[in-house]
Amino acid sequence: AVGSANKAKINAVKQAFQKCLNRKKSNHAYTLDIQGFSVDSGVSAQPMGDQETCQGAKNRAAAAYLECKRKTGNYPHMAVGMEGGVEWVQNGKDDEKLLYCMAWMAIYGKRQAFTVDVFASEETTSYYGDRKPFFGLAKTGTFPIPPPLTKMIVEDGMELGVADDKFFKRKNSKEGSGSVGILTDGLIDRAGYYEHAIILALAPWIRPELYPQNES
Protein backbone atom coordinates (compact mmCIF):
# COMPACT_ATOMS: atom_id res chain seq x y z
CA ALA A 1 0.00 0.00 0.00
CA VAL A 2 1.28 3.45 -0.91
CA GLY A 3 0.07 6.55 0.92
CA SER A 4 -0.48 8.52 -2.27
CA ALA A 5 -2.12 8.30 -5.68
CA ASN A 6 0.81 10.21 -7.20
CA LYS A 7 2.15 8.19 -10.16
CA ALA A 8 5.78 9.14 -9.55
CA LYS A 9 5.59 7.93 -5.94
CA ILE A 10 3.89 4.67 -6.89
CA ASN A 11 6.50 4.06 -9.58
CA ALA A 12 9.27 4.71 -7.05
CA VAL A 13 7.90 1.97 -4.80
CA LYS A 14 7.54 -0.42 -7.74
CA GLN A 15 11.12 0.21 -8.87
CA ALA A 16 12.59 -0.18 -5.38
CA PHE A 17 10.63 -3.31 -4.50
CA GLN A 18 11.26 -4.90 -7.90
CA LYS A 19 14.99 -4.31 -7.50
CA CYS A 20 14.85 -6.14 -4.18
CA LEU A 21 12.97 -9.06 -5.75
CA ASN A 22 15.26 -9.30 -8.77
CA ARG A 23 18.42 -9.79 -6.72
CA LYS A 24 17.22 -13.19 -5.41
CA LYS A 25 16.52 -16.14 -7.70
CA SER A 26 13.97 -17.52 -5.26
CA ASN A 27 11.83 -14.39 -5.71
CA HIS A 28 11.11 -14.88 -9.39
CA ALA A 29 7.74 -16.48 -8.60
CA TYR A 30 6.53 -13.41 -6.70
CA THR A 31 4.60 -10.56 -8.28
CA LEU A 32 4.07 -7.12 -6.80
CA ASP A 33 0.59 -5.87 -5.97
CA ILE A 34 1.02 -2.18 -5.24
CA GLN A 35 -2.01 0.03 -4.65
CA GLY A 36 -2.05 3.75 -4.02
CA PHE A 37 -4.40 5.36 -1.51
CA SER A 38 -5.12 9.08 -1.26
CA VAL A 39 -4.47 9.85 2.40
CA ASP A 40 -3.68 12.99 4.37
CA SER A 41 -0.09 13.71 5.36
CA GLY A 42 -1.20 15.51 8.52
CA VAL A 43 1.47 18.18 7.98
CA SER A 44 1.61 21.45 6.04
CA ALA A 45 1.36 21.47 2.24
CA GLN A 46 5.07 22.35 2.06
CA PRO A 47 6.81 20.70 5.01
CA MET A 48 9.85 22.50 6.40
CA GLY A 49 12.73 20.58 7.98
CA ASP A 50 13.38 16.94 8.82
CA GLN A 51 10.97 16.59 11.73
CA GLU A 52 7.85 17.77 9.90
CA THR A 53 8.74 16.04 6.65
CA CYS A 54 9.49 12.71 8.33
CA GLN A 55 6.27 12.94 10.32
CA GLY A 56 4.34 13.46 7.10
CA ALA A 57 5.87 10.31 5.62
CA LYS A 58 5.03 8.31 8.76
CA ASN A 59 1.47 9.63 8.78
CA ARG A 60 1.00 8.64 5.14
CA ALA A 61 2.37 5.13 5.69
CA ALA A 62 0.22 4.47 8.76
CA ALA A 63 -2.88 5.89 7.07
CA ALA A 64 -2.33 3.78 3.94
CA TYR A 65 -1.96 0.69 6.15
CA LEU A 66 -5.39 1.31 7.67
CA GLU A 67 -7.00 2.45 4.42
CA CYS A 68 -5.92 -0.75 2.69
CA LYS A 69 -7.57 -2.77 5.46
CA ARG A 70 -10.75 -0.68 5.19
CA LYS A 71 -11.04 -1.01 1.41
CA THR A 72 -9.77 -4.55 0.82
CA GLY A 73 -10.45 -6.28 4.13
CA ASN A 74 -6.76 -7.12 4.61
CA TYR A 75 -3.75 -5.33 6.02
CA PRO A 76 -0.92 -4.99 3.49
CA HIS A 77 2.44 -6.65 4.09
CA MET A 78 3.92 -3.15 3.99
CA ALA A 79 2.72 0.42 3.62
CA VAL A 80 4.94 3.15 2.23
CA GLY A 81 4.72 6.87 2.90
CA MET A 82 6.79 9.47 1.06
CA GLU A 83 6.92 13.16 1.88
CA GLY A 84 8.90 15.83 0.09
CA GLY A 85 10.16 18.79 2.08
CA VAL A 86 12.60 21.67 2.14
CA GLU A 87 15.27 22.69 4.63
CA TRP A 88 17.66 25.57 5.17
CA VAL A 89 21.36 24.67 4.84
CA GLN A 90 24.30 26.85 5.86
CA ASN A 91 26.16 27.92 2.73
CA GLY A 92 29.55 28.10 4.44
CA LYS A 93 30.04 31.83 4.26
CA ASP A 94 28.76 34.45 6.71
CA ASP A 95 25.19 33.70 7.73
CA GLU A 96 23.94 32.86 4.24
CA LYS A 97 21.63 29.89 3.99
CA LEU A 98 20.26 28.12 0.94
CA LEU A 99 16.94 26.31 0.68
CA TYR A 100 17.43 22.64 -0.17
CA CYS A 101 14.99 19.99 -1.38
CA MET A 102 14.80 16.58 0.32
CA ALA A 103 12.28 13.86 1.11
CA TRP A 104 11.65 11.25 3.79
CA MET A 105 10.49 7.66 3.25
CA ALA A 106 8.58 5.62 5.83
CA ILE A 107 7.82 1.92 5.53
CA TYR A 108 5.28 0.54 8.00
CA GLY A 109 4.79 -3.16 8.60
CA LYS A 110 5.97 -6.30 10.36
CA ARG A 111 8.86 -8.62 9.66
CA GLN A 112 7.17 -11.97 9.16
CA ALA A 113 8.11 -15.17 7.36
CA PHE A 114 6.86 -13.98 3.96
CA THR A 115 8.42 -10.51 3.97
CA VAL A 116 11.71 -11.83 5.30
CA ASP A 117 11.77 -14.52 2.61
CA VAL A 118 11.17 -11.88 -0.06
CA PHE A 119 13.47 -9.10 1.15
CA ALA A 120 16.11 -10.54 3.49
CA SER A 121 19.75 -10.93 2.51
CA GLU A 122 21.02 -14.40 1.66
CA GLU A 123 23.33 -13.94 4.65
CA THR A 124 20.38 -13.76 7.05
CA THR A 125 20.03 -17.10 8.82
CA SER A 126 17.73 -16.15 11.71
CA TYR A 127 15.47 -13.33 12.82
CA TYR A 128 12.79 -12.46 15.35
CA GLY A 129 9.37 -11.51 14.02
CA ASP A 130 7.57 -8.38 15.12
CA ARG A 131 4.44 -8.44 17.24
CA LYS A 132 3.30 -5.06 15.94
CA PRO A 133 4.07 -2.94 12.88
CA PHE A 134 6.98 -0.51 13.08
CA PHE A 135 8.57 2.14 10.87
CA GLY A 136 11.63 1.84 8.69
CA LEU A 137 12.83 5.37 7.86
CA ALA A 138 15.29 6.93 5.44
CA LYS A 139 16.03 10.26 3.79
CA THR A 140 16.89 11.04 0.19
CA GLY A 141 19.87 13.00 -0.98
CA THR A 142 19.45 16.78 -0.99
CA PHE A 143 19.97 19.47 -3.59
CA PRO A 144 19.79 23.28 -3.65
CA ILE A 145 16.65 24.99 -4.88
CA PRO A 146 17.36 27.87 -7.31
CA PRO A 147 16.88 31.38 -5.81
CA PRO A 148 13.86 32.27 -8.02
CA LEU A 149 12.00 29.19 -6.78
CA THR A 150 13.13 29.79 -3.20
CA LYS A 151 11.55 33.24 -3.38
CA MET A 152 8.26 31.76 -4.61
CA ILE A 153 8.24 29.21 -1.77
CA VAL A 154 9.32 31.53 1.05
CA GLU A 155 7.71 34.83 0.06
CA ASP A 156 4.68 33.64 -1.90
CA GLY A 157 3.94 30.53 0.15
CA MET A 158 3.94 28.14 -2.82
CA GLU A 159 4.62 24.43 -2.72
CA LEU A 160 7.77 23.48 -4.60
CA GLY A 161 5.78 21.58 -7.22
CA VAL A 162 3.53 24.59 -7.85
CA ALA A 163 6.54 26.89 -8.06
CA ASP A 164 8.15 24.51 -10.57
CA ASP A 165 5.08 24.53 -12.78
CA LYS A 166 4.78 28.30 -12.71
CA PHE A 167 8.46 29.09 -13.24
CA PHE A 168 9.18 26.44 -15.87
CA LYS A 169 5.70 26.70 -17.47
CA ARG A 170 4.85 23.04 -16.93
CA LYS A 171 1.78 21.20 -15.68
CA ASN A 172 1.69 18.85 -12.70
CA SER A 173 5.44 18.21 -12.80
CA LYS A 174 5.34 16.57 -9.37
CA GLU A 175 3.64 13.54 -10.95
CA GLY A 176 6.38 13.40 -13.57
CA SER A 177 10.05 14.21 -13.32
CA GLY A 178 9.62 16.66 -10.43
CA SER A 179 12.07 19.37 -9.43
CA VAL A 180 14.96 16.95 -9.49
CA GLY A 181 14.20 16.00 -13.08
CA ILE A 182 14.09 19.62 -14.21
CA LEU A 183 17.30 20.58 -12.43
CA THR A 184 19.29 17.50 -13.54
CA ASP A 185 18.03 17.67 -17.14
CA GLY A 186 16.32 14.32 -16.74
CA LEU A 187 19.33 12.46 -15.36
CA ILE A 188 17.32 11.74 -12.20
CA ASP A 189 13.53 11.80 -12.18
CA ARG A 190 11.31 11.92 -9.10
CA ALA A 191 10.74 8.16 -8.99
CA GLY A 192 14.48 7.51 -9.21
CA TYR A 193 15.16 10.15 -6.58
CA TYR A 194 12.87 8.36 -4.11
CA GLU A 195 13.91 4.83 -5.11
CA HIS A 196 17.25 4.70 -3.31
CA ALA A 197 15.78 6.05 -0.08
CA ILE A 198 12.96 3.48 -0.14
CA ILE A 199 15.58 0.73 -0.36
CA LEU A 200 17.46 2.31 2.56
CA ALA A 201 14.23 2.36 4.59
CA LEU A 202 13.92 -1.39 3.87
CA ALA A 203 17.20 -2.11 5.70
CA PRO A 204 15.43 -3.65 8.77
CA TRP A 205 13.71 -6.11 6.39
CA ILE A 206 16.84 -6.76 4.32
CA ARG A 207 19.00 -7.47 7.40
CA PRO A 208 16.38 -8.27 10.07
CA GLU A 209 18.87 -10.05 12.32
CA LEU A 210 20.68 -6.74 12.88
CA TYR A 211 17.66 -4.68 13.95
CA PRO A 212 15.75 -5.24 17.21
CA GLN A 213 12.40 -6.97 17.36
CA ASN A 214 9.44 -4.65 17.82
CA GLU A 215 7.59 -5.98 20.86
CA SER A 216 5.84 -2.79 21.97
Side-chain angles (χ1 to χ4, degrees):
V2 179
S4 175
N6 183 297
K7 294 179 181 178
K9 290 184 175 182
I10 293 172
N11 285 337
V13 176
K14 287 181 179 178
Q15 291 171 195
F17 279 36
Q18 193 64 58
K19 184 173 286 188
C20 290
L21 264 63
N22 289 347
R23 82 189 201 285
K24 296 174 66 176
K25 293 180 180 180
S26 60
N27 283 343
H28 288 176
Y30 295 126
T31 57
L32 294 173
D33 180 13
I34 297 175
Q35 300 179 46
F37 298 92
S38 295
V39 296
D40 192 357
S41 70
V43 297
S44 60
Q46 181 55 78
M48 178 68 72
D50 282 331
Q51 183 173 350
E52 184 182 16
T53 307
C54 184
Q55 188 61 54
K58 291 170 68 176
N59 291 347
R60 286 184 182 277
Y65 191 83
L66 296 176
E67 188 68 1
C68 183
K69 168 66 172 177
R70 188 181 73 82
K71 288 191 172 180
T72 70
N74 297 299
Y75 288 114
H77 291 106
M78 294 175 176
V80 184
M82 292 158 276
E83 192 70 24
V86 296
E87 60 182 346
W88 290 107
V89 176
Q90 190 74 36
N91 193 32
K93 59 179 182 179
D94 302 324
D95 294 325
E96 182 182 3
K97 291 184 178 180
L98 297 177
L99 195 64
Y100 272 62
C101 179
M102 50 77 175
W104 275 88
M105 312 291 117
I107 297 177
Y108 188 65
K110 300 177 186 178
R111 288 167 296 186
Q112 300 171 317
F114 174 75
T115 52
V116 169
D117 183 49
V118 171
F119 290 98
S121 166
E122 300 287 357
E123 296 182 8
T124 297
T125 57
S126 63
Y127 76 98
Y128 295 98
D130 301 301
R131 294 183 181 179
K132 294 184 178 181
F134 75 104
F135 289 105
L137 302 170
K139 183 182 179 181
T140 63
T142 65
F143 60 91
I145 299 171
L149 271 67
T150 295
K151 181 177 181 297
M152 296 167 77
I153 295 168
V154 176
E155 296 183 12
D156 301 332
M158 291 185 183
E159 294 179 49
L160 178 55
V162 175
D164 282 338
D165 288 346
K166 184 174 182 179
F167 186 80
F168 293 105
K169 296 180 172 56
R170 291 159 43 112
K171 290 185 178 180
N172 205 22
S173 60
K174 64 183 180 180
E175 294 225 14
S177 63
S179 303
V180 68
I182 298 170
L183 298 175
T184 64
D185 197 26
L187 292 172
I188 303 173
D189 62 14
R190 197 179 189 199
Y193 179 56
Y194 284 176
E195 178 188 336
H196 79 280
I198 293 171
I199 294 173
L200 291 173
L202 281 168
W205 282 266
I206 296 173
R207 296 303 301 261
E209 77 280 12
L210 300 178
Y211 292 84
Q213 177 187 22
N214 183 32
E215 298 181 301
S216 59

